[in-house]
Amino acid sequence: MSLLFSPLSLRDITVRNRLWVAPMCQYSAEDGLPNDWHHVHLAQFASGGAGLVVAEATAVVPEGRISPRDTGLWSDAHRDAWRPIVDAIHARGALAGVQLAHAGRKASTWWPFSDRHGSVPAGEGGWTTLAPSAIAYEGYAEPVALDRDGIAALIEAFRAAARRALDAGFDVLEVHAAHGYLLHEFLSPLSNQRTDEWGGSLENRARIVLDIVRAMRAEAGEAVPVLVRFSASDAAPGGLEPDDVARVARWALDAGADLFDISSAGLVAHQQLSVGPGYQVPFAARIREVGEVPVAAVGIITSGAQAEQILQDGDADAIFAAREWLRDPHFGLRAATELGEDPESLWPPQYLRAHRPARQAAAAAR
């Protein structure tokens, strides 16, 4: 069996394979509530052979949304709206995760397919944004620096959202500490210029991430995996580097996290990053090696052979893909066929007519 289609156990769950769907914002919610679009969007990946389907960055408070069209989990109504979506993922054989998030100074922005850019004005549905320090993202409105009470309330909001996620049936929780959003803003010296216990040293800048991991672990108990998504590098002078993030990942592992989803950049508009196939895999490999922690790799991974090689090389323990799932919601089935795997149980029975001829053709070719 290939590594890609071997199961992976995290705490009390076992994921059927290691080809997973990364969280991808759809900017299609109203008042934070997921709807039919999210239901079809996420369930199709389970039909397509994914092991784990992680729902998009989901705000723990209304002002934590990237845009007014982002999903949330700040009320029981949101919990109830997510439940049938989770059930649909489970019915198709995959596990369901959710990425809990706060967009910080990059909140209250127009969605990508709007004809407008930058911050949404308050009179048009926007709001005042929050950050570790009152430093704006280039081109966006200046945020308000969180005080100690605000930080305490934020940690509690992550805990409460984790509870609702579990009650909705999610199997895996992920903390979003990447892409220039609030927790990444705390981690990076480029956006965190505080002089209290939440700023200065790497230990202090990481404090809020670790406190959130501990709060979510306490809520989830010992059975449910908690993942953390990190940007391994700010790709800008004076910013975070992979060895910094490896240290934080190790601390987070000790605080109760189980696996780290390694991406990069997003903090500043002047970042310099070379993008190409598998461009973030070296970041994942470095954090896995230095931090001695399990990781998932992501970033222009588009074939079963490429994903399998990443695992065979020991650069990651699992694979997250994003745009390839959008191009082909059956990426998992295609990758399995490409690797010569024959996990008939991966295929929905309604699709077996497509699977069997492919299997016969592969056998004839051998």
Side-chain angles (χ1 to χ4, degrees):
M1 178 178 288
S2 65
L3 286 177
L4 190 62
F5 287 94
S6 65
L8 179 65
S9 295
L10 297 169
R11 293 192 179 258
D12 283 4
I13 71 162
T14 298
V15 192
R16 64 182 177 179
N17 62 51
R18 302 178 188 226
L19 183 57
W20 303 347
V21 178
M24 292 177 280
C25 289
Q26 298 298 290
Y27 305 102
S28 300
E30 293 185 13
D31 298 321
L33 294 167
N35 51 45
D36 285 348
W37 176 267
H38 301 88
H39 189 128
V40 175
H41 166 69
L42 293 168
Q44 67 180 340
F45 302 132
S47 296
L52 172 66
V53 179
V54 181
E56 65 191 78
T58 296
V60 299
V61 290
E63 64 272 18
R65 290 172 293 168
I66 302 167
S67 82
R69 292 190 174 187
D70 284 42
T71 58
L73 256 172
W74 63 79
S75 79
D76 290 350
H78 296 91
R79 173 202 63 198
D80 295 343
W82 279 113
R83 186 174 287 131
I85 298 172
V86 174
D87 290 345
I89 294 169
H90 288 159
R92 290 157 176 80
L95 297 184
V98 63
Q99 185 185 67
L100 300 180
H102 191 299
R105 67 180 188 173
K106 293 177 72 175
S108 188
T109 60
W110 297 101
W111 45 98
F113 43 88
S114 168
D115 59 1
R116 301 175 68 178
H117 306 283
S119 299
V120 178
E124 299 183 62
W127 54 88
T128 300
T129 57
L130 302 170
S133 302
I135 304 170
Y137 182 84
E138 294 94 323
Y140 290 6
E142 183 176 299
V144 172
L146 280 159
D147 59 18
R148 287 185 174 84
D149 289 344
I151 290 172
L154 181 69
I155 296 167
E156 169 58 21
F158 270 89
R159 184 208 62 77
R163 180 69 265 158
R164 293 189 184 98
L166 295 169
D167 290 345
F170 283 106
D171 307 287
V172 174
L173 306 175
E174 180 171 272
V175 180
H176 198 355
H179 299 167
Y181 300 127
L182 185 63
L183 301 186
H184 184 184
E185 292 163 20
F186 268 93
L187 285 171
S188 176
L190 297 179
S191 49
N192 183 347
Q193 296 183 3
R194 301 175 72 99
T195 57
D196 60 6
E197 67 267 35
W198 307 98
S201 67
L202 181 61
E203 291 82 354
N204 283 357
R205 300 196 314 271
R207 187 183 306 275
I208 190 170
V209 175
L210 303 182
D211 283 352
I212 286 170
V213 169
R214 292 187 190 102
M216 288 174 58
R217 171 54 58 213
E219 194 64 42
E222 292 302 313
V224 175
V226 173
L227 280 54
V228 182
R229 176 166 247 190
F230 285 123
S231 281
S233 170
D234 288 337
L240 286 173
E241 296 294 344
D243 284 11
D244 300 323
V245 176
R247 290 175 64 196
V248 178
R250 183 68 217 187
W251 298 335
L253 186 78
D254 294 340
D258 300 291
L259 183 141
F260 302 94
D261 174 6
I262 305 302
S263 188
S264 64
L267 185 82
V268 293
H270 60 274
Q271 67 190 28
Q272 296 292 322
L273 192 67
S274 296
V275 176
Y279 72 104
Q280 295 179 140
V281 173
F283 292 138
R286 180 66 180 174
I287 287 167
R288 188 177 192 262
E289 177 187 5
V290 174
E292 297 182 319
V293 296
V295 303
V298 68
I300 312 187
I301 299 171
T302 59
S303 73
Q306 180 192 14
E308 175 68 17
Q309 193 62 56
I310 292 165
L311 299 178
Q312 292 286 352
D313 290 345
D315 290 339
D317 301 276
I319 302 295
F320 271 118
R323 289 173 176 84
E324 192 61 22
W325 285 106
L326 298 184
R327 287 186 284 265
D328 178 3
H330 301 138
F331 178 34
L333 304 182
R334 170 164 59 84
T337 300
E338 178 187 344
L339 293 174
E341 293 287 353
D342 189 26
E344 189 163 300
S345 62
L346 195 67
W347 286 71
Q350 297 90 336
Y351 290 178
L352 281 175
R353 284 171 295 176
H355 171 56
R356 287 173 180 145
R359 180 178 60 189
Q360 292 160 3
R366 289 196 294 271

PDB file of all heavy atoms in Angstrom, residues 68-102:
ATOM      1  N   PRO A  68     -17.581  40.041   5.423  1.00  0.00           N
ATOM      2  CA  PRO A  68     -18.942  39.822   5.916  1.00  0.00           C
ATOM      3  C   PRO A  68     -19.573  38.530   5.416  1.00  0.00           C
ATOM      4  O   PRO A  68     -20.634  38.138   5.920  1.00  0.00           O
ATOM      5  CB  PRO A  68     -19.700  41.046   5.378  1.00  0.00           C
ATOM      6  CG  PRO A  68     -18.665  42.104   5.213  1.00  0.00           C
ATOM      7  CD  PRO A  68     -17.443  41.358   4.762  1.00  0.00           C
ATOM      8  N   ARG A  69     -18.957  37.856   4.454  1.00  0.00           N
ATOM      9  CA  ARG A  69     -19.517  36.628   3.899  1.00  0.00           C
ATOM     10  C   ARG A  69     -18.838  35.365   4.431  1.00  0.00           C
ATOM     11  O   ARG A  69     -19.037  34.282   3.880  1.00  0.00           O
ATOM     12  CB  ARG A  69     -19.404  36.659   2.370  1.00  0.00           C
ATOM     13  CG  ARG A  69     -20.289  37.705   1.716  1.00  0.00           C
ATOM     14  CD  ARG A  69     -20.317  37.536   0.222  1.00  0.00           C
ATOM     15  NE  ARG A  69     -21.269  38.429  -0.421  1.00  0.00           N
ATOM     16  CZ  ARG A  69     -21.580  38.389  -1.718  1.00  0.00           C
ATOM     17  NH1 ARG A  69     -20.991  37.499  -2.512  1.00  0.00           N
ATOM     18  NH2 ARG A  69     -22.443  39.226  -2.219  1.00  0.00           N
ATOM     19  N   ASP A  70     -18.053  35.472   5.486  1.00  0.00           N
ATOM     20  CA  ASP A  70     -17.371  34.299   6.044  1.00  0.00           C
ATOM     21  C   ASP A  70     -18.271  33.543   7.016  1.00  0.00           C
ATOM     22  O   ASP A  70     -19.192  34.107   7.612  1.00  0.00           O
ATOM     23  CB  ASP A  70     -16.096  34.729   6.769  1.00  0.00           C
ATOM     24  CG  ASP A  70     -14.979  35.065   5.807  1.00  0.00           C
ATOM     25  OD1 ASP A  70     -15.260  35.713   4.793  1.00  0.00           O
ATOM     26  OD2 ASP A  70     -13.842  34.676   6.071  1.00  0.00           O
ATOM     27  N   THR A  71     -17.957  32.260   7.199  1.00  0.00           N
ATOM     28  CA  THR A  71     -18.696  31.434   8.143  1.00  0.00           C
ATOM     29  C   THR A  71     -18.239  31.698   9.574  1.00  0.00           C
ATOM     30  O   THR A  71     -17.165  32.244   9.823  1.00  0.00           O
ATOM     31  CB  THR A  71     -18.521  29.943   7.828  1.00  0.00           C
ATOM     32  OG1 THR A  71     -17.126  29.621   7.857  1.00  0.00           O
ATOM     33  CG2 THR A  71     -19.100  29.589   6.475  1.00  0.00           C
ATOM     34  N   GLY A  72     -19.092  31.286  10.521  1.00  0.00           N
ATOM     35  CA  GLY A  72     -18.783  31.467  11.932  1.00  0.00           C
ATOM     36  C   GLY A  72     -19.259  30.299  12.776  1.00  0.00           C
ATOM     37  O   GLY A  72     -19.968  29.399  12.303  1.00  0.00           O
ATOM     38  N   LEU A  73     -18.849  30.346  14.044  1.00  0.00           N
ATOM     39  CA  LEU A  73     -19.306  29.374  15.039  1.00  0.00           C
ATOM     40  C   LEU A  73     -19.446  30.071  16.391  1.00  0.00           C
ATOM     41  O   LEU A  73     -19.033  29.547  17.409  1.00  0.00           O
ATOM     42  CB  LEU A  73     -18.333  28.187  15.131  1.00  0.00           C
ATOM     43  CG  LEU A  73     -18.783  26.879  14.477  1.00  0.00           C
ATOM     44  CD1 LEU A  73     -17.648  25.862  14.463  1.00  0.00           C
ATOM     45  CD2 LEU A  73     -20.001  26.281  15.201  1.00  0.00           C
ATOM     46  N   TRP A  74     -20.026  31.266  16.373  1.00  0.00           N
ATOM     47  CA  TRP A  74     -20.135  32.039  17.610  1.00  0.00           C
ATOM     48  C   TRP A  74     -21.501  31.904  18.281  1.00  0.00           C
ATOM     49  O   TRP A  74     -21.758  32.533  19.297  1.00  0.00           O
ATOM     50  CB  TRP A  74     -19.808  33.504  17.357  1.00  0.00           C
ATOM     51  CG  TRP A  74     -20.714  34.246  16.420  1.00  0.00           C
ATOM     52  CD1 TRP A  74     -21.950  34.762  16.712  1.00  0.00           C
ATOM     53  CD2 TRP A  74     -20.470  34.549  15.053  1.00  0.00           C
ATOM     54  NE1 TRP A  74     -22.487  35.362  15.608  1.00  0.00           N
ATOM     55  CE2 TRP A  74     -21.599  35.263  14.572  1.00  0.00           C
ATOM     56  CE3 TRP A  74     -19.400  34.318  14.186  1.00  0.00           C
ATOM     57  CZ2 TRP A  74     -21.693  35.726  13.263  1.00  0.00           C
ATOM     58  CZ3 TRP A  74     -19.493  34.779  12.884  1.00  0.00           C
ATOM     59  CH2 TRP A  74     -20.613  35.473  12.428  1.00  0.00           C
ATOM     60  N   SER A  75     -22.391  31.089  17.704  1.00  0.00           N
ATOM     61  CA  SER A  75     -23.700  30.893  18.328  1.00  0.00           C
ATOM     62  C   SER A  75     -24.172  29.473  18.078  1.00  0.00           C
ATOM     63  O   SER A  75     -23.648  28.756  17.214  1.00  0.00           O
ATOM     64  CB  SER A  75     -24.721  31.879  17.758  1.00  0.00           C
ATOM     65  OG  SER A  75     -25.183  31.440  16.490  1.00  0.00           O
ATOM     66  N   ASP A  76     -25.201  29.088  18.821  1.00  0.00           N
ATOM     67  CA  ASP A  76     -25.759  27.756  18.633  1.00  0.00           C
ATOM     68  C   ASP A  76     -26.441  27.614  17.277  1.00  0.00           C
ATOM     69  O   ASP A  76     -26.533  26.503  16.733  1.00  0.00           O
ATOM     70  CB  ASP A  76     -26.740  27.435  19.760  1.00  0.00           C
ATOM     71  CG  ASP A  76     -26.042  27.230  21.095  1.00  0.00           C
ATOM     72  OD1 ASP A  76     -24.790  27.148  21.112  1.00  0.00           O
ATOM     73  OD2 ASP A  76     -26.737  27.168  22.131  1.00  0.00           O
ATOM     74  N   ALA A  77     -26.913  28.715  16.707  1.00  0.00           N
ATOM     75  CA  ALA A  77     -27.503  28.649  15.367  1.00  0.00           C
ATOM     76  C   ALA A  77     -26.450  28.229  14.342  1.00  0.00           C
ATOM     77  O   ALA A  77     -26.743  27.464  13.415  1.00  0.00           O
ATOM     78  CB  ALA A  77     -28.103  30.000  14.991  1.00  0.00           C
ATOM     79  N   HIS A  78     -25.231  28.701  14.523  1.00  0.00           N
ATOM     80  CA  HIS A  78     -24.148  28.288  13.626  1.00  0.00           C
ATOM     81  C   HIS A  78     -23.832  26.803  13.808  1.00  0.00           C
ATOM     82  O   HIS A  78     -23.624  26.077  12.827  1.00  0.00           O
ATOM     83  CB  HIS A  78     -22.904  29.137  13.880  1.00  0.00           C
ATOM     84  CG  HIS A  78     -23.095  30.582  13.560  1.00  0.00           C
ATOM     85  ND1 HIS A  78     -23.535  31.476  14.506  1.00  0.00           N
ATOM     86  CD2 HIS A  78     -22.940  31.280  12.415  1.00  0.00           C
ATOM     87  CE1 HIS A  78     -23.630  32.680  13.940  1.00  0.00           C
ATOM     88  NE2 HIS A  78     -23.280  32.590  12.678  1.00  0.00           N
ATOM     89  N   ARG A  79     -23.785  26.370  15.046  1.00  0.00           N
ATOM     90  CA  ARG A  79     -23.580  24.940  15.325  1.00  0.00           C
ATOM     91  C   ARG A  79     -24.609  24.096  14.587  1.00  0.00           C
ATOM     92  O   ARG A  79     -24.276  23.102  13.931  1.00  0.00           O
ATOM     93  CB  ARG A  79     -23.699  24.714  16.832  1.00  0.00           C
ATOM     94  CG  ARG A  79     -23.666  23.261  17.276  1.00  0.00           C
ATOM     95  CD  ARG A  79     -24.319  23.095  18.644  1.00  0.00           C
ATOM     96  NE  ARG A  79     -25.727  23.451  18.618  1.00  0.00           N
ATOM     97  CZ  ARG A  79     -26.461  23.738  19.686  1.00  0.00           C
ATOM     98  NH1 ARG A  79     -25.917  23.731  20.896  1.00  0.00           N
ATOM     99  NH2 ARG A  79     -27.746  24.041  19.566  1.00  0.00           N
ATOM    100  N   ASP A  80     -25.878  24.500  14.671  1.00  0.00           N
ATOM    101  CA  ASP A  80     -26.946  23.714  14.063  1.00  0.00           C
ATOM    102  C   ASP A  80     -26.869  23.747  12.538  1.00  0.00           C
ATOM    103  O   ASP A  80     -27.244  22.770  11.873  1.00  0.00           O
ATOM    104  CB  ASP A  80     -28.298  24.242  14.536  1.00  0.00           C
ATOM    105  CG  ASP A  80     -28.501  24.048  16.036  1.00  0.00           C
ATOM    106  OD1 ASP A  80     -27.764  23.239  16.646  1.00  0.00           O
ATOM    107  OD2 ASP A  80     -29.383  24.724  16.599  1.00  0.00           O
ATOM    108  N   ALA A  81     -26.394  24.849  11.969  1.00  0.00           N
ATOM    109  CA  ALA A  81     -26.257  24.932  10.515  1.00  0.00           C
ATOM    110  C   ALA A  81     -25.124  24.051  10.007  1.00  0.00           C
ATOM    111  O   ALA A  81     -25.179  23.530   8.878  1.00  0.00           O
ATOM    112  CB  ALA A  81     -26.032  26.381  10.099  1.00  0.00           C
ATOM    113  N   TRP A  82     -24.081  23.873  10.815  1.00  0.00           N
ATOM    114  CA  TRP A  82     -22.960  23.028  10.409  1.00  0.00           C
ATOM    115  C   TRP A  82     -23.289  21.531  10.510  1.00  0.00           C
ATOM    116  O   TRP A  82     -22.726  20.715   9.777  1.00  0.00           O
ATOM    117  CB  TRP A  82     -21.725  23.324  11.264  1.00  0.00           C
ATOM    118  CG  TRP A  82     -20.946  24.520  10.842  1.00  0.00           C
ATOM    119  CD1 TRP A  82     -20.789  25.698  11.517  1.00  0.00           C
ATOM    120  CD2 TRP A  82     -20.167  24.650   9.636  1.00  0.00           C
ATOM    121  NE1 TRP A  82     -19.976  26.557  10.811  1.00  0.00           N
ATOM    122  CE2 TRP A  82     -19.578  25.938   9.646  1.00  0.00           C
ATOM    123  CE3 TRP A  82     -19.913  23.816   8.553  1.00  0.00           C
ATOM    124  CZ2 TRP A  82     -18.756  26.406   8.627  1.00  0.00           C
ATOM    125  CZ3 TRP A  82     -19.094  24.267   7.526  1.00  0.00           C
ATOM    126  CH2 TRP A  82     -18.523  25.550   7.565  1.00  0.00           C
ATOM    127  N   ARG A  83     -24.196  21.153  11.406  1.00  0.00           N
ATOM    128  CA  ARG A  83     -24.397  19.733  11.703  1.00  0.00           C
ATOM    129  C   ARG A  83     -24.768  18.897  10.478  1.00  0.00           C
ATOM    130  O   ARG A  83     -24.163  17.835  10.246  1.00  0.00           O
ATOM    131  CB  ARG A  83     -25.438  19.584  12.821  1.00  0.00           C
ATOM    132  CG  ARG A  83     -25.598  18.144  13.304  1.00  0.00           C
ATOM    133  CD  ARG A  83     -26.520  18.062  14.497  1.00  0.00           C
ATOM    134  NE  ARG A  83     -25.905  18.565  15.713  1.00  0.00           N
ATOM    135  CZ  ARG A  83     -26.463  19.431  16.556  1.00  0.00           C
ATOM    136  NH1 ARG A  83     -27.648  19.935  16.278  1.00  0.00           N
ATOM    137  NH2 ARG A  83     -25.853  19.796  17.650  1.00  0.00           N
ATOM    138  N   PRO A  84     -25.732  19.304   9.633  1.00  0.00           N
ATOM    139  CA  PRO A  84     -26.037  18.452   8.468  1.00  0.00           C
ATOM    140  C   PRO A  84     -24.897  18.371   7.462  1.00  0.00           C
ATOM    141  O   PRO A  84     -24.775  17.370   6.743  1.00  0.00           O
ATOM    142  CB  PRO A  84     -27.276  19.131   7.858  1.00  0.00           C
ATOM    143  CG  PRO A  84     -27.279  20.520   8.400  1.00  0.00           C
ATOM    144  CD  PRO A  84     -26.666  20.437   9.755  1.00  0.00           C
ATOM    145  N   ILE A  85     -24.053  19.388   7.414  1.00  0.00           N
ATOM    146  CA  ILE A  85     -22.891  19.341   6.521  1.00  0.00           C
ATOM    147  C   ILE A  85     -21.898  18.300   7.013  1.00  0.00           C
ATOM    148  O   ILE A  85     -21.365  17.503   6.235  1.00  0.00           O
ATOM    149  CB  ILE A  85     -22.258  20.742   6.426  1.00  0.00           C
ATOM    150  CG1 ILE A  85     -23.262  21.724   5.817  1.00  0.00           C
ATOM    151  CG2 ILE A  85     -20.960  20.702   5.621  1.00  0.00           C
ATOM    152  CD1 ILE A  85     -22.808  23.170   5.843  1.00  0.00           C
ATOM    153  N   VAL A  86     -21.666  18.296   8.329  1.00  0.00           N
ATOM    154  CA  VAL A  86     -20.782  17.287   8.917  1.00  0.00           C
ATOM    155  C   VAL A  86     -21.352  15.888   8.685  1.00  0.00           C
ATOM    156  O   VAL A  86     -20.629  14.950   8.317  1.00  0.00           O
ATOM    157  CB  VAL A  86     -20.581  17.558  10.419  1.00  0.00           C
ATOM    158  CG1 VAL A  86     -19.791  16.435  11.079  1.00  0.00           C
ATOM    159  CG2 VAL A  86     -19.874  18.899  10.628  1.00  0.00           C
ATOM    160  N   ASP A  87     -22.654  15.741   8.863  1.00  0.00           N
ATOM    161  CA  ASP A  87     -23.284  14.435   8.640  1.00  0.00           C
ATOM    162  C   ASP A  87     -23.097  13.967   7.198  1.00  0.00           C
ATOM    163  O   ASP A  87     -22.870  12.773   6.945  1.00  0.00           O
ATOM    164  CB  ASP A  87     -24.778  14.514   8.960  1.00  0.00           C
ATOM    165  CG  ASP A  87     -25.073  14.664  10.446  1.00  0.00           C
ATOM    166  OD1 ASP A  87     -24.154  14.421  11.265  1.00  0.00           O
ATOM    167  OD2 ASP A  87     -26.214  15.027  10.782  1.00  0.00           O
ATOM    168  N   ALA A  88     -23.169  14.898   6.258  1.00  0.00           N
ATOM    169  CA  ALA A  88     -23.007  14.536   4.841  1.00  0.00           C
ATOM    170  C   ALA A  88     -21.581  14.073   4.558  1.00  0.00           C
ATOM    171  O   ALA A  88     -21.371  13.132   3.778  1.00  0.00           O
ATOM    172  CB  ALA A  88     -23.369  15.719   3.955  1.00  0.00           C
ATOM    173  N   ILE A  89     -20.596  14.708   5.167  1.00  0.00           N
ATOM    174  CA  ILE A  89     -19.199  14.285   5.007  1.00  0.00           C
ATOM    175  C   ILE A  89     -19.016  12.877   5.572  1.00  0.00           C
ATOM    176  O   ILE A  89     -18.417  12.000   4.938  1.00  0.00           O
ATOM    177  CB  ILE A  89     -18.256  15.294   5.686  1.00  0.00           C
ATOM    178  CG1 ILE A  89     -18.305  16.641   4.957  1.00  0.00           C
ATOM    179  CG2 ILE A  89     -16.832  14.758   5.739  1.00  0.00           C
ATOM    180  CD1 ILE A  89     -17.617  17.769   5.701  1.00  0.00           C
ATOM    181  N   HIS A  90     -19.550  12.666   6.761  1.00  0.00           N
ATOM    182  CA  HIS A  90     -19.440  11.345   7.386  1.00  0.00           C
ATOM    183  C   HIS A  90     -20.127  10.269   6.548  1.00  0.00           C
ATOM    184  O   HIS A  90     -19.608   9.147   6.412  1.00  0.00           O
ATOM    185  CB  HIS A  90     -20.069  11.374   8.781  1.00  0.00           C
ATOM    186  CG  HIS A  90     -19.269  12.122   9.786  1.00  0.00           C
ATOM    187  ND1 HIS A  90     -19.816  12.623  10.956  1.00  0.00           N
ATOM    188  CD2 HIS A  90     -17.958  12.460   9.816  1.00  0.00           C
ATOM    189  CE1 HIS A  90     -18.868  13.223  11.657  1.00  0.00           C
ATOM    190  NE2 HIS A  90     -17.744  13.134  10.989  1.00  0.00           N
ATOM    191  N   ALA A  91     -21.291  10.581   5.987  1.00  0.00           N
ATOM    192  CA  ALA A  91     -22.044   9.595   5.208  1.00  0.00           C
ATOM    193  C   ALA A  91     -21.269   9.129   3.986  1.00  0.00           C
ATOM    194  O   ALA A  91     -21.523   8.030   3.470  1.00  0.00           O
ATOM    195  CB  ALA A  91     -23.389  10.182   4.785  1.00  0.00           C
ATOM    196  N   ARG A  92     -20.304   9.934   3.556  1.00  0.00           N
ATOM    197  CA  ARG A  92     -19.503   9.601   2.378  1.00  0.00           C
ATOM    198  C   ARG A  92     -18.128   9.051   2.744  1.00  0.00           C
ATOM    199  O   ARG A  92     -17.268   8.922   1.887  1.00  0.00           O
ATOM    200  CB  ARG A  92     -19.404  10.830   1.479  1.00  0.00           C
ATOM    201  CG  ARG A  92     -20.730  11.174   0.820  1.00  0.00           C
ATOM    202  CD  ARG A  92     -20.833  12.626   0.385  1.00  0.00           C
ATOM    203  NE  ARG A  92     -22.081  12.887  -0.328  1.00  0.00           N
ATOM    204  CZ  ARG A  92     -23.268  13.079   0.272  1.00  0.00           C
ATOM    205  NH1 ARG A  92     -23.356  13.050   1.601  1.00  0.00           N
ATOM    206  NH2 ARG A  92     -24.353  13.300  -0.442  1.00  0.00           N
ATOM    207  N   GLY A  93     -17.936   8.741   4.028  1.00  0.00           N
ATOM    208  CA  GLY A  93     -16.755   7.986   4.439  1.00  0.00           C
ATOM    209  C   GLY A  93     -15.566   8.786   4.932  1.00  0.00           C
ATOM    210  O   GLY A  93     -14.559   8.206   5.340  1.00  0.00           O
ATOM    211  N   ALA A  94     -15.639  10.109   4.890  1.00  0.00           N
ATOM    212  CA  ALA A  94     -14.517  10.931   5.341  1.00  0.00           C
ATOM    213  C   ALA A  94     -14.765  11.463   6.735  1.00  0.00           C
ATOM    214  O   ALA A  94     -15.888  11.420   7.259  1.00  0.00           O
ATOM    215  CB  ALA A  94     -14.283  12.093   4.370  1.00  0.00           C
ATOM    216  N   LEU A  95     -13.717  11.990   7.347  1.00  0.00           N
ATOM    217  CA  LEU A  95     -13.846  12.701   8.608  1.00  0.00           C
ATOM    218  C   LEU A  95     -13.930  14.197   8.334  1.00  0.00           C
ATOM    219  O   LEU A  95     -13.476  14.681   7.278  1.00  0.00           O
ATOM    220  CB  LEU A  95     -12.665  12.397   9.520  1.00  0.00           C
ATOM    221  CG  LEU A  95     -12.519  10.930   9.947  1.00  0.00           C
ATOM    222  CD1 LEU A  95     -11.364  10.768  10.920  1.00  0.00           C
ATOM    223  CD2 LEU A  95     -13.814  10.398  10.555  1.00  0.00           C
ATOM    224  N   ALA A  96     -14.501  14.926   9.281  1.00  0.00           N
ATOM    225  CA  ALA A  96     -14.752  16.359   9.110  1.00  0.00           C
ATOM    226  C   ALA A  96     -13.967  17.157  10.135  1.00  0.00           C
ATOM    227  O   ALA A  96     -13.968  16.838  11.329  1.00  0.00           O
ATOM    228  CB  ALA A  96     -16.246  16.654   9.244  1.00  0.00           C
ATOM    229  N   GLY A  97     -13.311  18.199   9.657  1.00  0.00           N
ATOM    230  CA  GLY A  97     -12.624  19.132  10.538  1.00  0.00           C
ATOM    231  C   GLY A  97     -13.093  20.544  10.269  1.00  0.00           C
ATOM    232  O   GLY A  97     -13.717  20.830   9.238  1.00  0.00           O
ATOM    233  N   VAL A  98     -12.779  21.453  11.193  1.00  0.00           N
ATOM    234  CA  VAL A  98     -13.104  22.862  10.997  1.00  0.00           C
ATOM    235  C   VAL A  98     -11.931  23.701  11.484  1.00  0.00           C
ATOM    236  O   VAL A  98     -11.296  23.375  12.488  1.00  0.00           O
ATOM    237  CB  VAL A  98     -14.407  23.259  11.725  1.00  0.00           C
ATOM    238  CG1 VAL A  98     -14.282  23.102  13.239  1.00  0.00           C
ATOM    239  CG2 VAL A  98     -14.834  24.681  11.363  1.00  0.00           C
ATOM    240  N   GLN A  99     -11.631  24.751  10.735  1.00  0.00           N
ATOM    241  CA  GLN A  99     -10.545  25.660  11.095  1.00  0.00           C
ATOM    242  C   GLN A  99     -11.146  26.859  11.822  1.00  0.00           C
ATOM    243  O   GLN A  99     -11.890  27.644  11.227  1.00  0.00           O
ATOM    244  CB  GLN A  99      -9.805  26.118   9.832  1.00  0.00           C
ATOM    245  CG  GLN A  99      -8.582  26.970  10.116  1.00  0.00           C
ATOM    246  CD  GLN A  99      -7.952  27.490   8.837  1.00  0.00           C
ATOM    247  OE1 GLN A  99      -8.549  28.301   8.135  1.00  0.00           O
ATOM    248  NE2 GLN A  99      -6.751  27.017   8.532  1.00  0.00           N
ATOM    249  N   LEU A 100     -10.832  26.994  13.100  1.00  0.00           N
ATOM    250  CA  LEU A 100     -11.339  28.102  13.905  1.00  0.00           C
ATOM    251  C   LEU A 100     -10.380  29.272  13.801  1.00  0.00           C
ATOM    252  O   LEU A 100      -9.161  29.103  13.892  1.00  0.00           O
ATOM    253  CB  LEU A 100     -11.522  27.663  15.360  1.00  0.00           C
ATOM    254  CG  LEU A 100     -12.501  26.498  15.550  1.00  0.00           C
ATOM    255  CD1 LEU A 100     -12.608  26.130  17.016  1.00  0.00           C
ATOM    256  CD2 LEU A 100     -13.871  26.827  14.967  1.00  0.00           C
ATOM    257  N   ALA A 101     -10.947  30.479  13.610  1.00  0.00           N
ATOM    258  CA  ALA A 101     -10.099  31.584  13.181  1.00  0.00           C
ATOM    259  C   ALA A 101     -10.587  32.930  13.703  1.00  0.00           C
ATOM    260  O   ALA A 101     -11.753  33.103  14.069  1.00  0.00           O
ATOM    261  CB  ALA A 101     -10.056  31.624  11.655  1.00  0.00           C
ATOM    262  N   HIS A 102      -9.655  33.885  13.684  1.00  0.00           N
ATOM    263  CA  HIS A 102      -9.944  35.305  13.856  1.00  0.00           C
ATOM    264  C   HIS A 102      -9.019  36.045  12.902  1.00  0.00           C
ATOM    265  O   HIS A 102      -7.799  35.859  12.928  1.00  0.00           O
ATOM    266  CB  HIS A 102      -9.699  35.752  15.300  1.00  0.00           C
ATOM    267  CG  HIS A 102     -10.222  37.122  15.601  1.00  0.00           C
ATOM    268  ND1 HIS A 102      -9.774  38.254  14.941  1.00  0.00           N
ATOM    269  CD2 HIS A 102     -11.156  37.551  16.495  1.00  0.00           C
ATOM    270  CE1 HIS A 102     -10.413  39.312  15.404  1.00  0.00           C
ATOM    271  NE2 HIS A 102     -11.259  38.914  16.344  1.00  0.00           N
TER     272      HIS A 102
END
